[in-house]
Amino acid sequence: MFQGASAINLDAKGRMSIPAKHRDALSIQCEGRLTLTRHPDGCVMLFPRPVWEQHRQQITAWPLQARAWQRIFLGYATDVDMDTAGRILISPELRAAVGLEKEVMMMGMGSHFEIWDAAKMAEKEQQALDAGTPEALANFSF
């Protein structure tokens, strides 16, 4: 179960270091074998490869009417391996598709991570707060 936020800077080549708190878990869970793809909300999703393979099977079975969505998820999917320093490379195409610049946020989302441009994520969070609590959460409390 991945959770928590980490502020990270991409290097000039588009590499990012996986935070130490997640690096060990990813090494154990999937030997550092990961898959990155585009999320339509404007971020990159990072999956341990076995988790991604389950999603990929579902996505490839979608009907023809969902072809555009298959292109978003499968077309941008890239297998990457953590290097010995715990870094991964985010391809230029994927960075451009979601607008990743230098400062990014890596958010644990349970089974996977989302990687957001830091400024874009702050804007999205503020929009959510301004919109108020959605009806689906009306009965939720801590």
Side-chain angles (χ1 to χ4, degrees):
M1 176 67 76
F2 302 113
Q3 61 185 23
S6 300
I8 302 169
N9 287 322
L10 297 180
D11 70 13
K13 295 179 181 179
R15 293 177 299 193
M16 65 172 264
S17 292
I18 301 295
K21 64 185 175 185
H22 300 301
R23 192 177 306 153
D24 291 340
L26 289 169
S27 293
I28 292 167
Q29 182 179 349
C30 61
E31 300 173 342
R33 296 171 36 244
L34 309 167
T35 299
L36 303 171
T37 194
R38 180 180 181 181
H39 190 288
D41 282 348
C43 67
V44 171
M45 293 184 290
L46 182 156
F47 292 92
R49 184 95 33 88
V51 174
W52 169 250
E53 288 171 354
Q54 293 171 1
H55 289 292
R56 184 181 61 207
Q57 287 178 347
Q58 292 175 335
I59 294 167
T60 58
W62 288 351
L64 189 58
Q65 298 91 328
R67 187 58 125 190
W69 289 98
Q70 285 177 318
R71 284 188 196 101
I72 290 170
F73 295 119
L74 297 176
Y76 283 96
T78 306
D79 292 337
V80 298
D81 295 328
M82 281 193 299
D83 67 14
T84 56
R87 297 175 303 189
I88 59 168
L89 175 67
I90 302 174
S91 71
E93 295 84 4
L94 196 48
R95 292 193 318 265
V98 300
L100 289 184
E101 298 293 331
K102 183 175 177 65
E103 296 178 7
V104 301
M105 292 293 293
M106 183 172 160
M107 309 293 291
M109 300 298 292
S111 66
H112 66 284
F113 296 92
E114 291 182 350
I115 302 167
W116 286 88
D117 177 77
K120 184 188 247 182
M121 189 183 122
E123 182 181 314
K124 288 268 191 186
E125 283 182 348
Q126 191 58 54
Q127 289 172 357
L129 292 170
D130 291 345
T133 307
E135 173 109 14
L137 300 180
N139 296 322
F140 175 78
S141 69
F142 283 102

